[in-house]
Amino acid sequence: MWTVVLGAALALAACLVLFGFAGPRTSSGDRPDRTAASLSDPADLVLESELAGADLVAAASQDDLGRYRTALDLADAACVEDRRATAGLAIHGTRLVEQRGGRTTALEVLRRVAMTIPAELAPLRCAPIVGSLAVLMTYGP
């Protein structure tokens, strides 16, 4: 049974990747370098802290924040959505998995989004990809 669900989810994910980037595409020259910005922008530090707070029981260390910064940088490069929207998608994806009885973190969702989108296709709309990943993370192996 789960192989049918997994096969359908993979087919859906492939279709979403192929057709899901109908949103505005930007060239790399149009997007600011987010990596440099995240090191100095206090808003990004707050965003990373919010993500860590959604996942961690204890207070986030500098190492924890660094992991979230790296994952958010990678996902941000792959997604058309702005950085805050990408973080919101990660939290929403986590909740979708948990509603279906699975267990994941926003950090894992961000990492999987970044790994799912090939660099030559980036940036894509990530909202449908997060939905597909939530299905795969819930019912996959």
Side-chain angles (χ1 to χ4, degrees):
M1 166 77 179
W2 71 268
T3 56
V4 173
V5 172
L6 181 61
L10 288 174
L12 175 64
C15 289
L16 289 174
V17 168
L18 291 175
F19 301 113
F21 57 98
R25 302 235 2 194
T26 58
S27 69
S28 58
D30 295 341
R31 291 172 57 99
D33 180 15
R34 304 287 179 141
T35 306
S38 68
L39 296 176
S40 60
D41 190 356
D44 282 344
L45 182 59
V46 169
L47 186 59
E48 293 150 9
S49 297
E50 288 173 2
L51 283 168
D55 286 348
L56 304 174
V57 176
S61 68
Q62 287 300 320
D63 289 340
D64 292 328
L65 293 179
R67 283 189 282 278
Y68 282 89
R69 179 181 312 116
T70 300
L72 192 54
D73 288 343
L74 292 171
D76 186 47
C79 298
V80 171
E81 293 88 352
D82 66 33
R83 195 171 181 86
R84 177 155 289 283
T86 301
L89 286 172
I91 291 172
H92 182 68
T94 301
R95 290 183 184 147
L96 286 173
V97 170
E98 289 173 351
Q99 286 174 357
R100 291 168 174 76
R103 188 89 182 116
T104 191
T105 62
L107 181 62
E108 184 63 24
V109 172
L110 287 171
R111 287 177 174 165
R112 289 192 183 199
V113 164
M115 291 184 330
T116 300
I117 300 172
E120 59 272 6
L121 293 178
L124 298 176
R125 288 187 317 125
C126 288
I129 293 169
V130 169
S132 297
L133 283 172
V135 170
L136 292 171
M137 292 170 84
T138 304
Y139 300 111

